[in-house]
Amino acid sequence: MLGLLARTATRWGLPQPSRLVKPMTVLQMPQRPVVHQEGLPKLPVPPLKQTCERYLAVLEPLLSEEELSHTHKLVAEFVRSGGVGERLQKGLERRARKTENWLSEWWMQSAYLDSRMPVAVYTSPGVVLPRMHFQDRQGQMRFASKLIAGVLDFKTMIDNDTLPVEYLGGKPLCMDQYYQVLSSCRIPGPKKDSVVNHAVGKTPPTHITVVHNFQFFVLDVYNSDGTPLTVDQICVQLEKIWNSSLQSNKEPIGILSSQHRNTWGKAYNNLIKDKTNKESVRAIQKSIFTVCLDAPMPSVSDELYHSRVAAQMLHGGGSRWNSGNRWFDKTLQFIVGEDGSCGLTYEHAPAEGPPIVFLVDHVVQYMKRTEEVRTPMIPLPMPQKLRFNITPEIKKDIEKAKQNMNIMVQDLDVRVLSFSHFGKIFPKSQKMSPDGFIQMALQLAYYRMYQFCCSTYESASLRMFHLGRTDAIRSTSVESFAFVQAMDDPAKQNTEKVTLLEKAIKVHRVYADMAIHGQAIDRHLLGLKMQAIEDLTSLPDIFMDTAYAVAEHFNLSTSQVGSTTDCVMCFGPMVPDGYGVCYNPMDNHINFAVSAFNSCEDTNATKFTRFVDYALLDIKTLLEQTPRANI
Ligand code: COA
């Protein structure tokens, strides 16, 4: 997992050596989560002057001198004593005193629930798991059964409050996101969405939903004595589901959830007018999670295999393939294909990637441990098939959703690169932060492709704080720009290039530390803007300035999501002419997933991965050819 992010079984606050926790054997303390959560610090509001100064520094490599001098004036006016900035800052500080987290609700609304873009591709990430070597239905069923049992094992830790607390830089992290990912679902609205979490209701669900050939089933995963079904029991139930969903001519009702949110919001209200449909939708929403048993996808070369799986995780491959085999609003959907492809997609509103991959790591470990023991079989009832009455209007909505999905599929360019020359051990041997090293390679790749640098976003965890989510590390800096310019400059000596690289990585690490301690600029600026929307009649000039739009236009949207499993998370670009880059640095190799849109002439995911590959290798060669006193 995350380098600094250590997981330790803890007696609330007392870290113990890291180990795999057996859910049923750890002492249960009823008030544990509450005590832990309430002990976490509140997210601070950074000083106004500090954010303004850092905002100007971030803009420096992105703007011309003239543009920069204009923005300097606007910022000076904003930050002056008695000015509008001070007033908004006071409002924010008041909000911080009154709420558990001044940011979390605004963030949830603005980043997720107000967004009208489809969740598929635009916000929901996918996770690509290593290829499984089953090639048939039996293998698929067995694998899916173990996976389900593994997730239920993880759920036991959540239910028993025995989930090990995570640590970042020695500080305990907020564990709230783990309580939001099971039994939850996004609900579309014609103007804004919401998220419902059934885990906290009076009757928490005991079922999952399984979808095969576009047909949804309720699968009860607990015996009457409350114990989870065994792998064998689950397997028998999955066989029954498979056998009663053989026809593939059913309407792909789930594809509706891939639509633009306003469109889906309207179609949803129309869909649930019918009582049967409403009950079926509710069963999906309430289920603990969904398992999608996918049909085989078109085969591709070994080289392209993981890229194809990444696309399958992000959108299902289109209406002819598995895009109708999803309920995109469901928080967690595990995907197991008959051809050995597997992974998951998750709806982003309730959680970030790290808790999801921690769950994946647990499930993968669990699956390795699971013995092939035959359990005595007590006959179980047939899983209930969810019925949908398809009116002509719903049929029309489905056809529209199919068309739009196919356009989206055509538009997404996604490439997985398994960079095998070295992993995080190499930068560590050079006394460099592996994350900073990778970020500088991304900067170099981008600069070499475009001859300029762009606004870059890297997710940083705010989970040191109560209900913390993320802020952004600004990886493009004056120092990173100096390094990438120098790298291919024949007039520069290698020693100078190395010095510039060291400086750029150090500056990145400093910003990363600031970000995880709640001192980055992006969420603070968002807070000031939201406060202005609440308090003022018009937005202050700094938010109307072109520079602000430039700063917020993230052509490179990046994230490290590390795991012990050899997997990679993937997500779509943030802007039409940008790249989404997610990476998992393992000890001796690095997995990357790069996405772009085909409709943008200037971007190309395959080309970018090639540039990343060269950049990493060139930086390594540079370091190896340049002796340094401290190495
Ligand atoms: N010399 C030698 N080793 C170094 C080093 C140096 N100069 N700097 C760092 N290292 C080591 C670290 O100690 C760590 O060691 P470990 O593997 O033994 O734990 C390792 O290198 C990794 O550190 P680094 O590469 O600097 O990054 P990180 O693991 O601290 O991660 C972030 C940085 C920003 C990615 C992380 O703090 C974070 O916030 N992650 C969350 C991202 C997120 O939420 N993404 C999801 C969005 S959906």
Side-chain angles (χ1 to χ4, degrees), residues 464-521:
M464 272 185 195
F465 304 101
H466 189 34
L467 303 183
R469 297 289 302 259
T470 54
D471 206 324
I473 301 165
R474 294 286 188 153
S475 300
T476 306
S477 60
V478 170
E479 291 77 9
S480 74
F481 193 41
F483 161 65
V484 297
Q485 283 175 304
M487 189 65 186
D488 294 328
D489 183 347
K492 301 275 189 223
Q493 297 295 316
N494 279 358
T495 44
E496 191 181 346
K497 293 178 190 176
V498 170
T499 307
L500 290 171
L501 171 67
E502 285 178 322
K503 213 168 158 194
I505 293 179
K506 266 195 198 124
V507 165
H508 178 270
R509 187 64 245 179
V510 168
Y511 200 103
D513 278 336
M514 266 171 43
I516 61 174
H517 289 94
Q519 300 295 322
I521 64 166

Short mmCIF file of all heavy atoms in Angstrom, two decimals, residues 464-521:
data_model
loop_
_atom_site.label_atom_id
_atom_site.label_comp_id
_atom_site.label_asym_id
_atom_site.label_seq_id
_atom_site.Cartn_x
_atom_site.Cartn_y
_atom_site.Cartn_z
N MET A 464 -5.79 12.12 7.48
CA MET A 464 -5.28 12.36 8.84
C MET A 464 -6.34 13.11 9.64
O MET A 464 -6.27 13.21 10.86
CB MET A 464 -4.04 13.23 8.76
CG MET A 464 -2.77 12.48 8.60
SD MET A 464 -1.45 13.67 8.67
CE MET A 464 -0.14 12.67 8.01
N PHE A 465 -7.29 13.72 8.92
CA PHE A 465 -8.31 14.54 9.56
C PHE A 465 -9.66 13.84 9.54
O PHE A 465 -9.94 13.04 8.63
CB PHE A 465 -8.40 15.91 8.85
CG PHE A 465 -7.08 16.59 8.82
CD1 PHE A 465 -6.30 16.58 7.66
CD2 PHE A 465 -6.58 17.20 9.95
CE1 PHE A 465 -5.04 17.17 7.64
CE2 PHE A 465 -5.33 17.80 9.94
CZ PHE A 465 -4.56 17.79 8.78
N HIS A 466 -10.48 14.17 10.50
CA HIS A 466 -11.81 13.58 10.62
C HIS A 466 -12.61 13.83 9.33
O HIS A 466 -12.75 14.97 8.91
CB HIS A 466 -12.50 14.23 11.83
CG HIS A 466 -13.78 13.57 12.20
ND1 HIS A 466 -14.00 12.22 12.05
CD2 HIS A 466 -14.92 14.07 12.73
CE1 HIS A 466 -15.21 11.92 12.46
NE2 HIS A 466 -15.81 13.03 12.87
N LEU A 467 -13.08 12.77 8.73
CA LEU A 467 -13.86 12.79 7.49
C LEU A 467 -13.07 13.38 6.31
O LEU A 467 -13.67 13.89 5.36
CB LEU A 467 -15.19 13.54 7.66
CG LEU A 467 -16.12 13.01 8.77
CD1 LEU A 467 -17.42 13.80 8.79
CD2 LEU A 467 -16.42 11.52 8.58
N GLY A 468 -11.76 13.29 6.40
CA GLY A 468 -10.92 13.85 5.32
C GLY A 468 -11.00 13.02 4.05
O GLY A 468 -11.08 11.80 4.11
N ARG A 469 -10.96 13.68 2.91
CA ARG A 469 -10.95 12.99 1.62
C ARG A 469 -9.60 13.26 0.93
O ARG A 469 -8.63 12.65 1.29
CB ARG A 469 -12.14 13.47 0.75
CG ARG A 469 -13.52 13.15 1.32
CD ARG A 469 -13.88 11.68 1.27
NE ARG A 469 -13.87 11.08 -0.03
CZ ARG A 469 -14.94 10.81 -0.79
NH1 ARG A 469 -16.14 11.14 -0.37
NH2 ARG A 469 -14.82 10.20 -1.95
N THR A 470 -9.55 14.17 -0.01
CA THR A 470 -8.28 14.43 -0.70
C THR A 470 -8.04 15.92 -0.92
O THR A 470 -8.99 16.72 -0.88
CB THR A 470 -8.26 13.81 -2.12
OG1 THR A 470 -9.40 14.29 -2.82
CG2 THR A 470 -8.23 12.31 -2.09
N ASP A 471 -6.79 16.25 -1.16
CA ASP A 471 -6.45 17.55 -1.73
C ASP A 471 -5.54 17.25 -2.92
O ASP A 471 -5.32 16.07 -3.24
CB ASP A 471 -5.77 18.47 -0.71
CG ASP A 471 -5.99 19.94 -1.05
OD1 ASP A 471 -6.00 20.27 -2.27
OD2 ASP A 471 -6.13 20.77 -0.14
N ALA A 472 -5.03 18.29 -3.57
CA ALA A 472 -4.19 18.06 -4.75
C ALA A 472 -2.76 18.49 -4.48
O ALA A 472 -2.51 19.53 -3.86
CB ALA A 472 -4.75 18.86 -5.92
N ILE A 473 -1.82 17.65 -4.94
CA ILE A 473 -0.42 18.05 -4.96
C ILE A 473 -0.21 18.67 -6.34
O ILE A 473 -0.60 18.06 -7.35
CB ILE A 473 0.52 16.83 -4.79
CG1 ILE A 473 0.23 16.12 -3.46
CG2 ILE A 473 1.99 17.25 -4.88
CD1 ILE A 473 0.83 14.72 -3.39
N ARG A 474 0.39 19.84 -6.38
CA ARG A 474 0.68 20.49 -7.67
C ARG A 474 2.07 20.03 -8.10
O ARG A 474 3.08 20.57 -7.63
CB ARG A 474 0.64 22.01 -7.50
CG ARG A 474 -0.75 22.54 -7.16
CD ARG A 474 -1.58 22.49 -8.39
NE ARG A 474 -2.87 23.14 -8.25
CZ ARG A 474 -3.53 23.66 -9.29
NH1 ARG A 474 -3.03 23.61 -10.51
NH2 ARG A 474 -4.71 24.20 -9.13
N SER A 475 2.11 19.05 -8.98
CA SER A 475 3.41 18.47 -9.35
C SER A 475 4.20 19.35 -10.31
O SER A 475 5.42 19.21 -10.42
CB SER A 475 3.22 17.09 -9.97
OG SER A 475 2.59 16.25 -9.06
N THR A 476 3.51 20.23 -11.03
CA THR A 476 4.24 21.15 -11.91
C THR A 476 4.69 22.33 -11.08
O THR A 476 3.86 23.01 -10.45
CB THR A 476 3.32 21.64 -13.05
OG1 THR A 476 2.78 20.51 -13.70
CG2 THR A 476 4.08 22.51 -14.03
N SER A 477 5.98 22.55 -11.05
CA SER A 477 6.52 23.66 -10.25
C SER A 477 7.60 24.36 -11.08
O SER A 477 8.01 23.85 -12.14
CB SER A 477 7.15 23.10 -8.97
OG SER A 477 8.20 22.20 -9.30
N VAL A 478 8.05 25.48 -10.58
CA VAL A 478 9.15 26.18 -11.25
C VAL A 478 10.34 25.22 -11.37
O VAL A 478 11.01 25.13 -12.40
CB VAL A 478 9.54 27.43 -10.41
CG1 VAL A 478 10.83 28.05 -10.92
CG2 VAL A 478 8.41 28.44 -10.41
N GLU A 479 10.54 24.43 -10.30
CA GLU A 479 11.69 23.51 -10.25
C GLU A 479 11.51 22.34 -11.22
O GLU A 479 12.47 21.93 -11.88
CB GLU A 479 11.87 22.99 -8.82
CG GLU A 479 12.34 24.03 -7.82
CD GLU A 479 11.24 24.99 -7.36
OE1 GLU A 479 10.05 24.75 -7.69
OE2 GLU A 479 11.57 25.98 -6.68
N SER A 480 10.28 21.82 -11.33
CA SER A 480 10.07 20.69 -12.27
C SER A 480 10.25 21.18 -13.70
O SER A 480 10.80 20.48 -14.55
CB SER A 480 8.67 20.07 -12.08
OG SER A 480 7.67 20.90 -12.62
N PHE A 481 9.82 22.42 -13.94
CA PHE A 481 9.93 22.99 -15.28
C PHE A 481 11.42 23.17 -15.64
O PHE A 481 11.84 22.85 -16.77
CB PHE A 481 9.16 24.31 -15.34
CG PHE A 481 8.95 24.83 -16.73
CD1 PHE A 481 8.60 23.97 -17.78
CD2 PHE A 481 9.07 26.18 -17.01
CE1 PHE A 481 8.40 24.45 -19.07
CE2 PHE A 481 8.87 26.67 -18.31
CZ PHE A 481 8.54 25.80 -19.33
N ALA A 482 12.19 23.65 -14.67
CA ALA A 482 13.62 23.83 -14.92
C ALA A 482 14.27 22.48 -15.23
O ALA A 482 15.09 22.37 -16.15
CB ALA A 482 14.28 24.47 -13.70
N PHE A 483 13.88 21.46 -14.50
CA PHE A 483 14.48 20.13 -14.74
C PHE A 483 14.12 19.60 -16.13
O PHE A 483 15.00 19.18 -16.88
CB PHE A 483 14.03 19.13 -13.65
CG PHE A 483 14.21 17.71 -14.08
CD1 PHE A 483 15.48 17.18 -14.32
CD2 PHE A 483 13.10 16.88 -14.31
CE1 PHE A 483 15.65 15.87 -14.76
CE2 PHE A 483 13.26 15.58 -14.75
CZ PHE A 483 14.53 15.07 -14.98
N VAL A 484 12.83 19.63 -16.51
CA VAL A 484 12.46 19.03 -17.80
C VAL A 484 13.07 19.80 -18.97
O VAL A 484 13.44 19.20 -19.99
CB VAL A 484 10.92 18.87 -17.98
CG1 VAL A 484 10.35 17.92 -16.95
CG2 VAL A 484 10.17 20.20 -17.96
N GLN A 485 13.23 21.10 -18.80
CA GLN A 485 13.86 21.88 -19.87
C GLN A 485 15.34 21.50 -20.01
O GLN A 485 15.87 21.41 -21.11
CB GLN A 485 13.73 23.37 -19.59
CG GLN A 485 12.35 23.92 -19.89
CD GLN A 485 12.24 25.37 -19.47
OE1 GLN A 485 12.48 25.72 -18.33
NE2 GLN A 485 11.91 26.22 -20.42
N ALA A 486 15.97 21.28 -18.85
CA ALA A 486 17.40 20.98 -18.86
C ALA A 486 17.69 19.58 -19.39
O ALA A 486 18.73 19.35 -20.01
CB ALA A 486 17.96 21.10 -17.44
N MET A 487 16.78 18.67 -19.16
CA MET A 487 17.03 17.25 -19.43
C MET A 487 17.52 17.00 -20.87
O MET A 487 18.44 16.22 -21.09
CB MET A 487 15.75 16.45 -19.12
CG MET A 487 15.92 14.97 -19.14
SD MET A 487 17.02 14.34 -17.86
CE MET A 487 17.09 12.62 -18.32
N ASP A 488 16.90 17.66 -21.86
CA ASP A 488 17.31 17.42 -23.24
C ASP A 488 18.16 18.55 -23.81
O ASP A 488 18.31 18.67 -25.03
CB ASP A 488 16.06 17.20 -24.12
CG ASP A 488 15.33 15.94 -23.73
OD1 ASP A 488 16.01 14.98 -23.28
OD2 ASP A 488 14.09 15.90 -23.83
N ASP A 489 18.66 19.39 -22.91
CA ASP A 489 19.46 20.53 -23.36
C ASP A 489 20.93 20.10 -23.45
O ASP A 489 21.57 19.85 -22.43
CB ASP A 489 19.27 21.67 -22.35
CG ASP A 489 20.01 22.93 -22.76
OD1 ASP A 489 20.86 22.84 -23.69
OD2 ASP A 489 19.76 23.98 -22.15
N PRO A 490 21.48 20.02 -24.68
CA PRO A 490 22.86 19.54 -24.82
C PRO A 490 23.88 20.46 -24.13
O PRO A 490 24.99 20.04 -23.82
CB PRO A 490 23.08 19.52 -26.34
CG PRO A 490 21.94 20.24 -26.95
CD PRO A 490 20.85 20.36 -25.96
N ALA A 491 23.47 21.70 -23.87
CA ALA A 491 24.40 22.63 -23.23
C ALA A 491 24.54 22.35 -21.73
O ALA A 491 25.40 22.92 -21.07
CB ALA A 491 23.93 24.06 -23.46
N LYS A 492 23.65 21.54 -21.20
CA LYS A 492 23.70 21.30 -19.74
C LYS A 492 24.52 20.05 -19.41
O LYS A 492 24.40 19.03 -20.11
CB LYS A 492 22.28 21.09 -19.18
CG LYS A 492 21.33 22.24 -19.42
CD LYS A 492 21.47 23.28 -18.32
CE LYS A 492 20.37 24.31 -18.46
NZ LYS A 492 20.81 25.68 -18.27
N GLN A 493 25.30 20.15 -18.36
CA GLN A 493 26.07 19.00 -17.87
C GLN A 493 25.14 18.07 -17.09
O GLN A 493 24.16 18.53 -16.49
CB GLN A 493 27.17 19.48 -16.90
CG GLN A 493 28.19 20.39 -17.52
CD GLN A 493 29.02 19.66 -18.58
OE1 GLN A 493 29.43 18.53 -18.37
NE2 GLN A 493 29.22 20.30 -19.72
N ASN A 494 25.51 16.78 -17.07
CA ASN A 494 24.71 15.83 -16.30
C ASN A 494 24.59 16.21 -14.82
O ASN A 494 23.53 16.05 -14.22
CB ASN A 494 25.30 14.42 -16.41
CG ASN A 494 24.86 13.77 -17.71
OD1 ASN A 494 24.10 14.35 -18.49
ND2 ASN A 494 25.34 12.56 -17.96
N THR A 495 25.68 16.71 -14.25
CA THR A 495 25.62 17.06 -12.82
C THR A 495 24.56 18.13 -12.56
O THR A 495 23.84 18.08 -11.57
CB THR A 495 26.99 17.59 -12.32
OG1 THR A 495 27.48 18.49 -13.29
CG2 THR A 495 27.97 16.46 -12.07
N GLU A 496 24.48 19.07 -13.50
CA GLU A 496 23.47 20.13 -13.33
C GLU A 496 22.05 19.56 -13.44
O GLU A 496 21.14 19.90 -12.68
CB GLU A 496 23.68 21.22 -14.38
CG GLU A 496 22.85 22.45 -14.08
CD GLU A 496 23.02 23.56 -15.11
OE1 GLU A 496 23.98 23.50 -15.93
OE2 GLU A 496 22.18 24.46 -15.11
N LYS A 497 21.89 18.63 -14.41
CA LYS A 497 20.56 18.00 -14.58
C LYS A 497 20.16 17.26 -13.31
O LYS A 497 19.02 17.33 -12.87
CB LYS A 497 20.59 17.02 -15.77
CG LYS A 497 20.78 17.69 -17.12
CD LYS A 497 20.84 16.65 -18.22
CE LYS A 497 21.27 17.28 -19.54
NZ LYS A 497 21.44 16.31 -20.61
N VAL A 498 21.13 16.53 -12.75
CA VAL A 498 20.83 15.76 -11.52
C VAL A 498 20.46 16.71 -10.38
O VAL A 498 19.52 16.47 -9.62
CB VAL A 498 22.02 14.84 -11.14
CG1 VAL A 498 21.81 14.23 -9.76
CG2 VAL A 498 22.18 13.74 -12.18
N THR A 499 21.21 17.80 -10.27
CA THR A 499 20.90 18.76 -9.20
C THR A 499 19.48 19.31 -9.38
O THR A 499 18.72 19.43 -8.41
CB THR A 499 21.92 19.94 -9.24
OG1 THR A 499 23.21 19.37 -9.20
CG2 THR A 499 21.73 20.89 -8.09
N LEU A 500 19.12 19.60 -10.62
CA LEU A 500 17.77 20.13 -10.88
C LEU A 500 16.71 19.08 -10.56
O LEU A 500 15.64 19.39 -10.02
CB LEU A 500 17.64 20.59 -12.34
CG LEU A 500 18.43 21.85 -12.69
CD1 LEU A 500 18.42 22.09 -14.20
CD2 LEU A 500 17.87 23.07 -11.95
N LEU A 501 17.01 17.80 -10.90
CA LEU A 501 16.06 16.72 -10.59
C LEU A 501 15.88 16.59 -9.08
O LEU A 501 14.75 16.51 -8.58
CB LEU A 501 16.58 15.40 -11.18
CG LEU A 501 15.81 14.13 -10.76
CD1 LEU A 501 14.39 14.14 -11.35
CD2 LEU A 501 16.53 12.86 -11.22
N GLU A 502 17.01 16.58 -8.35
CA GLU A 502 16.93 16.44 -6.88
C GLU A 502 16.08 17.56 -6.29
O GLU A 502 15.24 17.32 -5.43
CB GLU A 502 18.34 16.50 -6.28
CG GLU A 502 19.14 15.24 -6.49
CD GLU A 502 20.55 15.34 -5.93
OE1 GLU A 502 21.18 16.42 -6.04
OE2 GLU A 502 21.03 14.33 -5.40
N LYS A 503 16.32 18.76 -6.81
CA LYS A 503 15.60 19.92 -6.29
C LYS A 503 14.09 19.78 -6.57
O LYS A 503 13.25 20.01 -5.70
CB LYS A 503 16.14 21.18 -6.98
CG LYS A 503 16.12 22.37 -6.09
CD LYS A 503 16.91 23.49 -6.69
CE LYS A 503 16.47 24.81 -6.10
NZ LYS A 503 16.95 25.95 -6.83
N ALA A 504 13.78 19.36 -7.81
CA ALA A 504 12.36 19.24 -8.21
C ALA A 504 11.66 18.18 -7.36
O ALA A 504 10.51 18.37 -6.92
CB ALA A 504 12.27 18.88 -9.69
N ILE A 505 12.35 17.06 -7.09
CA ILE A 505 11.73 16.00 -6.28
C ILE A 505 11.55 16.47 -4.84
O ILE A 505 10.51 16.21 -4.22
CB ILE A 505 12.56 14.69 -6.36
CG1 ILE A 505 12.47 14.12 -7.79
CG2 ILE A 505 12.07 13.66 -5.35
CD1 ILE A 505 13.25 12.84 -8.03
N LYS A 506 12.55 17.22 -4.34
CA LYS A 506 12.43 17.72 -2.96
C LYS A 506 11.24 18.68 -2.84
O LYS A 506 10.46 18.61 -1.89
CB LYS A 506 13.71 18.45 -2.55
CG LYS A 506 14.65 17.50 -1.84
CD LYS A 506 15.75 18.23 -1.11
CE LYS A 506 16.85 17.21 -0.83
NZ LYS A 506 18.15 17.58 -1.36
N VAL A 507 11.11 19.56 -3.82
CA VAL A 507 10.00 20.53 -3.80
C VAL A 507 8.66 19.77 -3.86
O VAL A 507 7.70 20.12 -3.16
CB VAL A 507 10.14 21.53 -4.97
CG1 VAL A 507 8.87 22.30 -5.22
CG2 VAL A 507 11.29 22.48 -4.69
N HIS A 508 8.62 18.72 -4.67
CA HIS A 508 7.40 17.92 -4.77
C HIS A 508 7.08 17.29 -3.42
O HIS A 508 5.93 17.28 -2.97
CB HIS A 508 7.55 16.85 -5.85
CG HIS A 508 6.37 15.96 -5.97
ND1 HIS A 508 6.26 14.79 -5.25
CD2 HIS A 508 5.22 16.06 -6.68
CE1 HIS A 508 5.09 14.22 -5.52
NE2 HIS A 508 4.44 14.97 -6.39
N ARG A 509 8.10 16.76 -2.77
CA ARG A 509 7.89 16.08 -1.47
C ARG A 509 7.39 17.08 -0.42
O ARG A 509 6.52 16.78 0.39
CB ARG A 509 9.19 15.41 -1.06
CG ARG A 509 9.18 14.52 0.16
CD ARG A 509 8.31 13.30 0.02
NE ARG A 509 7.19 13.35 0.94
CZ ARG A 509 6.24 12.42 1.03
NH1 ARG A 509 6.25 11.36 0.27
NH2 ARG A 509 5.28 12.56 1.89
N VAL A 510 7.95 18.29 -0.47
CA VAL A 510 7.52 19.33 0.48
C VAL A 510 6.04 19.64 0.25
O VAL A 510 5.24 19.72 1.18
CB VAL A 510 8.39 20.61 0.34
CG1 VAL A 510 7.79 21.78 1.09
CG2 VAL A 510 9.81 20.34 0.82
N TYR A 511 5.66 19.77 -1.03
CA TYR A 511 4.25 20.08 -1.33
C TYR A 511 3.35 18.91 -0.90
O TYR A 511 2.27 19.11 -0.36
CB TYR A 511 4.04 20.40 -2.82
CG TYR A 511 2.76 21.18 -3.06
CD1 TYR A 511 2.81 22.55 -3.30
CD2 TYR A 511 1.52 20.58 -2.97
CE1 TYR A 511 1.64 23.28 -3.47
CE2 TYR A 511 0.35 21.29 -3.14
CZ TYR A 511 0.42 22.64 -3.39
OH TYR A 511 -0.74 23.37 -3.54
N ALA A 512 3.83 17.67 -1.15
CA ALA A 512 3.04 16.50 -0.77
C ALA A 512 2.81 16.49 0.74
O ALA A 512 1.69 16.23 1.21
CB ALA A 512 3.75 15.22 -1.21
N ASP A 513 3.85 16.82 1.50
CA ASP A 513 3.70 16.86 2.97
C ASP A 513 2.71 17.93 3.39
O ASP A 513 1.88 17.72 4.27
CB ASP A 513 5.06 17.09 3.64
CG ASP A 513 5.85 15.80 3.75
OD1 ASP A 513 5.21 14.72 3.76
OD2 ASP A 513 7.08 15.85 3.80
N MET A 514 2.84 19.08 2.73
CA MET A 514 1.88 20.17 3.03
C MET A 514 0.46 19.69 2.76
O MET A 514 -0.46 19.92 3.54
CB MET A 514 2.13 21.33 2.07
CG MET A 514 3.04 22.40 2.59
SD MET A 514 3.41 23.53 1.22
CE MET A 514 1.84 23.77 0.43
N ALA A 515 0.31 19.01 1.61
CA ALA A 515 -1.04 18.60 1.20
C ALA A 515 -1.65 17.63 2.20
O ALA A 515 -2.79 17.80 2.63
CB ALA A 515 -0.99 17.97 -0.20
N ILE A 516 -0.88 16.60 2.60
CA ILE A 516 -1.49 15.62 3.52
C ILE A 516 -1.72 16.23 4.91
O ILE A 516 -2.49 15.68 5.69
CB ILE A 516 -0.68 14.29 3.60
CG1 ILE A 516 0.73 14.51 4.11
CG2 ILE A 516 -0.68 13.56 2.26
CD1 ILE A 516 1.49 13.20 4.33
N HIS A 517 -1.06 17.37 5.19
CA HIS A 517 -1.31 18.05 6.47
C HIS A 517 -2.34 19.17 6.34
O HIS A 517 -2.46 20.02 7.22
CB HIS A 517 0.02 18.57 7.06
CG HIS A 517 0.90 17.46 7.55
ND1 HIS A 517 1.88 16.88 6.78
CD2 HIS A 517 0.89 16.76 8.72
CE1 HIS A 517 2.45 15.89 7.46
NE2 HIS A 517 1.86 15.80 8.63
N GLY A 518 -3.06 19.17 5.23
CA GLY A 518 -4.16 20.12 5.08
C GLY A 518 -3.73 21.53 4.72
O GLY A 518 -4.46 22.49 4.97
N GLN A 519 -2.53 21.69 4.12
CA GLN A 519 -2.03 23.04 3.82
C GLN A 519 -1.87 23.30 2.32
O GLN A 519 -1.16 24.22 1.93
CB GLN A 519 -0.68 23.25 4.52
CG GLN A 519 -0.73 23.14 6.04
CD GLN A 519 -1.59 24.22 6.68
OE1 GLN A 519 -1.58 25.37 6.25
NE2 GLN A 519 -2.35 23.86 7.69
N ALA A 520 -2.50 22.47 1.48
CA ALA A 520 -2.40 22.70 0.03
C ALA A 520 -3.39 23.80 -0.37
O ALA A 520 -4.23 24.22 0.44
CB ALA A 520 -2.68 21.41 -0.72
N ILE A 521 -3.32 24.21 -1.62
CA ILE A 521 -4.12 25.38 -2.01
C ILE A 521 -5.50 25.04 -2.60
O ILE A 521 -6.42 25.83 -2.51
CB ILE A 521 -3.38 26.27 -3.03
CG1 ILE A 521 -3.14 25.53 -4.36
CG2 ILE A 521 -2.09 26.81 -2.45
CD1 ILE A 521 -2.73 26.45 -5.50
#
